[in-house]
Amino acid sequence: MPAASTTILHKTSDSDRQSAADRWFTWALFGFVLVILFYRLGAPVLFEPDEGRNAEKAREILVLNDWITPHENFHAVLDKPIFFYWLIALSYRLFGVSEWAARLPSVLAAFGCIVMVYFFVRRWWGEWEGRWSGLVLVSSAGFFVFSRLVIFDMTLTAFIMLALCAFYHAARESESPASWATCAIFYGALGAATLTKGLVGLIVPGMIIVFYVLLTNGWRILGKMRLLSGVVLFLLIVTPWYILAETQNPGYLRYYFWNEHFGRFATKKFDRFSPWYFYFYIAPLGLLPWTFLLPATVRFHWRRRLDDRTLWLMLWALLPILFFSMSKSKLAHYILPSFPPMAILLGVAMSRILDDSPNRLRYGFGASWMVLSLVFIYLAAGVIAPEIFPKIIRGRYDSIAILFWSSAFISLALGYLACKRNLWTAVSLRYIYFSQGFGLLIFMVTLSEMMVSIAPVRSSQEIAVKALPYITPTTQLVLYDTYAEALPFYLKTDKPLWVVTHSNKKRTFLGNFYELTDQPDPITRWGKSLLTFEEFAEHWNRSDTPFVILVKEKNLRRLERLIGVVAKRLAVDDEYLLVARP
């Protein structure tokens, strides 16, 4: 065989082996992500208030068979669109009502984000850049924790990311107009995002696109996006539910688009106020343990010409943070849409720097692991000396002390490897990736176990278990001047719990729709479920209904003065008591 033919065969063989290795690596990465995202997903009980509220609203869709109006404690609560609750309700239909099923939409959305990050980066930067970006995203503490919670924002983030990736692909396509499929994905994702959490699903990607077009003078891009047919598709997705919700709940649209959006953004009346700089320390905390690689990432991108791709990522990362920083209402998970582009900026920088000069990153990796080791040592020490812990978590982590020590040891070992120049530069880039992945696996397992251990502190599951033996079909459970969002979920109740409180605390238990629009108190099909103290006293005195009352211990005397007897204590859980007629 001629030498030239032999050379060609060798090259082809090497290319095939490389291609097979790349495919294997990709599937291994996705498998790793799935395993860690699903690890102990259903083990933590539902956190109050958000997880309990969202999981119960989805359960009541099935109980009431009402797929238009969200209900909590069997009265309409109209603060969010219904699409996210649909996803959870469908999960319940497939897998049964459980914490695992309630969290499934969030974890699948997180997995979708990581898959999109990998393929988007591989398409526009390269294979290893995609691998690093995916690893950064799944292991960032904020992204990982919120991927395991029953909240809207991970699903919203997935749809926003799908829309922005589709737009960028359409902008870079040579075709004019862009392909129908790409445009359909773009407008469909915008519609799904808007149906998940309202106008923010349109405003956040919209402002990124507008600034990108302005800064690149890319007005011709808009001509490629099939605007007319796209707007029609968007409206077909979004408007049917909003129209039906307004039909069933007159006044809803005005409240939702005015109060829930502009009121929440511009006023403090929604009780979520934080200073303007809130997200400028939340974002670095959420990026842990990658935070210490931010200086090298900023330096890498600063020293290079600002190209189209990097500008797109910077706008995508910064504009949501700036937008929500201007809002009067702030919560940590509002900036989740910024995490994928931040992970890409980190992943691209790390891949390129490691390929060029691994020595330049070793101090960043070393600092990350050393800080994590100190955190784990503190947690392990807190098990031995609980007084160094905040009171609320003392004794909660005793069962996972060995995991803290193991994590501290592994973090120290990886920090030592990074700080030893001869060791760090002697190994291949593949081994650096695998070693970081192994350490991050331990980190995420530890985070998961911490969530399992701490969840009962922020849940009503334990008091629900203690209440169940006293609940019969004729029993009326009463919450005296308190409310636990997950209690109906764990009691699996098919009728509303009575809530007894001051008349001026209506918004606390009914939601902003009734308070801000002066709606009359809702009447469920079982009658009134929100009672004043006087109304409950009247029921107590004239009714033979067996009442089981959940009351905080500090409020017991006040309850007994109201009903005129010393209540019989049935059970106790931390600050809560279950009481009944003597």
Side-chain angles (χ1 to χ4, degrees):
M1 182 180 293
S5 299
T6 305
T7 302
I8 292 172
L9 286 174
H10 279 304
K11 286 183 178 180
T12 303
S13 178
D14 290 342
S15 176
D16 290 342
R17 283 197 295 269
Q18 183 64 32
S19 177
D22 285 342
R23 287 195 297 270
W24 172 87
F25 201 111
T26 300
W27 289 111
L29 175 61
F30 291 160
F32 168 82
V33 169
L34 279 173
V35 167
I36 198 58
L37 287 178
F38 277 91
Y39 172 77
R40 301 267 277 165
L41 180 64
V45 292
L46 295 174
F47 286 86
E48 301 279 3
D50 289 349
E51 279 206 297
R53 179 189 303 120
N54 295 332
E56 174 59 15
K57 285 181 180 179
R59 189 186 74 89
E60 291 184 20
I61 287 178
L62 302 182
V63 175
L64 297 171
N65 196 30
D66 186 343
W67 293 79
I68 302 301
T69 302
H71 288 76
E72 182 181 1
N73 196 27
F74 296 91
H75 62 257
V77 177
L78 294 154
D79 55 344
K80 295 291 187 296
I82 202 169
F83 183 67
F84 182 62
Y85 304 128
W86 285 345
L87 297 178
I88 303 173
L90 290 173
S91 180
Y92 289 162
R93 277 276 177 89
L94 291 172
F95 305 107
V97 177
S98 68
E99 296 93 342
W100 186 91
R103 293 178 178 128
L104 182 62
S106 290
V107 81
L108 289 178
F111 180 68
C113 287
I114 293 157
V115 171
M116 283 187 283
V117 160
Y118 170 77
F119 283 109
F120 181 75
V121 177
R122 191 179 75 168
R123 168 67 177 84
W124 298 108
W125 281 273
E127 179 69 37
W128 273 101
E129 288 85 347
R131 294 171 181 175
W132 277 107
S133 298
L135 184 63
V136 170
L137 184 60
V138 70
S139 58
S140 295
F143 185 88
F144 179 72
V145 168
F146 289 128
S147 73
R148 304 169 65 79
L149 297 179
V150 191
I151 59 172
F152 299 83
D153 299 82
M154 190 58 72
T155 302
L156 174 70
T157 297
F159 285 130
I160 287 176
M161 182 173 185
L162 181 59
L164 291 175
C165 289
F167 178 86
Y168 190 78
H169 280 291
R172 298 293 294 268
E173 279 183 4
S174 58
E175 297 179 39
S176 186
S179 69
W180 277 106
T182 303
C183 290
I185 291 172
F186 171 66
Y187 292 108
L190 287 181
T194 305
L195 204 56
T196 298
K197 207 178 178 184
L199 288 180
V200 70
L202 182 63
I203 292 171
V204 169
M207 66 183 178
I208 294 167
I209 290 168
V210 167
F211 275 91
Y212 175 74
V213 169
L214 287 172
L215 292 174
T216 60
N217 196 25
W219 298 103
R220 63 178 183 81
I221 297 173
L222 299 181
K224 299 172 60 176
M225 296 305 300
R226 302 179 185 268
L227 285 173
L228 182 59
S229 55
V231 169
V232 171
L233 175 61
F234 174 84
L235 293 175
L236 286 173
I237 292 171
V238 170
T239 55
W241 176 80
Y242 280 103
I243 292 171
L244 289 171
E246 171 69 19
T247 302
Q248 289 192 6
N249 307 276
Y252 167 66
L253 286 181
R254 183 183 183 282
Y255 155 77
Y256 186 69
F257 287 110
W258 181 253
N259 296 102
E260 268 292 325
H261 287 85
F262 299 104
R264 188 179 292 274
F265 187 88
T267 70
K268 300 179 183 179
K269 64 175 66 175
F270 288 79
D271 304 324
R272 293 174 178 175
F273 176 75
S274 293
W276 65 269
Y277 52 83
F278 176 71
Y279 292 118
F280 290 90
Y281 61 82
I282 288 296
L285 286 174
L287 280 173
L288 285 172
W290 301 100
T291 308
F292 296 94
L293 289 155
L294 284 175
T297 299
V298 172
R299 189 164 54 250
F300 171 82
H301 291 292
W302 181 265
R303 291 178 175 178
R304 281 153 179 79
R305 184 176 62 85
L306 184 63
D307 59 16
D308 177 85
R309 299 172 301 174
T310 306
L311 174 63
W312 176 249
L313 293 178
M314 291 175 64
L315 292 172
W316 184 357
L318 292 174
L319 288 178
I321 295 175
L322 295 175
F323 173 76
F324 288 112
S325 293
M326 294 186 290
S327 172
K328 300 297 183 183
S329 297
K330 296 181 180 70
L331 289 174
H333 46 75
Y334 286 177
I335 61 167
L336 268 177
S338 289
F339 276 75
M342 289 193 291
I344 296 172
L345 289 167
L346 277 158
V348 170
M350 285 191 298
S351 178
R352 299 286 174 86
I353 295 171
L354 285 170
D355 190 53
D356 180 49
S357 177
N359 186 55
R360 291 162 55 193
L361 276 186
R362 62 191 185 90
Y363 288 117
F365 279 107
S368 299
W369 291 113
M370 289 301 181
V371 169
L372 280 185
S373 69
L374 292 176
V375 172
F376 291 132
I377 289 170
Y378 165 75
L379 292 169
V383 174
I384 300 171
E387 62 273 9
I388 71 173
F389 274 167
K391 187 176 180 180
I392 193 172
I393 64 172
R394 290 176 187 172
R396 291 289 175 177
Y397 293 147
D398 292 0
S399 61
I400 57 173
I402 186 63
L403 189 58
F404 291 150
W405 287 116
S406 300
S407 300
F409 175 78
I410 292 169
S411 298
L412 281 171
L414 289 169
Y416 174 79
L417 170 64
C419 293
K420 293 291 288 183
R421 179 171 183 170
N422 292 339
L423 289 174
W424 180 259
T425 55
V427 298
S428 70
L429 300 183
R430 191 181 295 268
Y431 282 114
I432 291 176
Y433 186 88
F434 284 139
S435 65
Q436 303 308 303
F438 173 72
L440 292 165
L441 171 66
I442 303 301
F443 169 66
M444 289 182 282
V445 166
T446 305
L447 276 182
S448 301
E449 294 297 338
M450 290 175 67
M451 292 177 72
V452 174
S453 299
I454 201 64
V457 176
R458 292 285 306 275
S459 180
S460 55
Q461 185 263 353
E462 291 184 1
I463 193 65
V465 169
K466 293 178 180 179
L468 279 171
Y470 304 102
I471 304 296
T472 69
T474 60
T475 301
Q476 179 62 58
L477 185 63
V478 180
L479 308 182
Y480 181 83
D481 206 20
T482 189
Y483 189 67
E485 282 79 357
L487 200 58
F489 178 91
Y490 284 112
L491 293 174
K492 294 180 171 57
T493 181
D494 57 1
K495 65 180 181 179
L497 312 181
W498 284 7
V499 179
V500 179
T501 188
H502 297 281
S503 58
N504 61 1
K505 291 180 68 175
K506 179 172 64 173
R507 195 184 82 178
T508 304
F509 304 106
L510 289 180
N512 297 310
F513 176 62
Y514 298 96
E515 176 73 11
L516 300 178
T517 59
D518 296 322
Q519 297 281 329
D521 291 355
I523 304 296
T524 73
R525 66 179 66 172
W526 297 268
K528 193 173 182 179
S529 62
L530 182 65
L531 309 176
T532 64
F533 296 121
E534 294 75 18
E535 288 171 332
F536 175 67
E538 185 178 348
H539 279 287
W540 177 275
N541 291 323
R542 66 178 174 81
S543 172
D544 293 329
T545 300
F547 292 112
V548 172
I549 306 172
L550 178 68
V551 58
K552 289 184 177 180
E553 189 167 10
K554 67 180 182 179
N555 293 330
L556 180 61
R557 293 286 182 87
R558 184 153 54 92
L559 168 65
E560 291 175 335
R561 285 197 299 269
L562 178 69
I563 61 180
V565 296
V566 176
K568 177 184 178 182
R569 298 191 180 206
L570 303 177
V572 60
D573 180 65
D574 196 22
E575 63 176 339
Y576 287 103
L577 299 172
L578 278 174
V579 300
R581 294 183 188 270

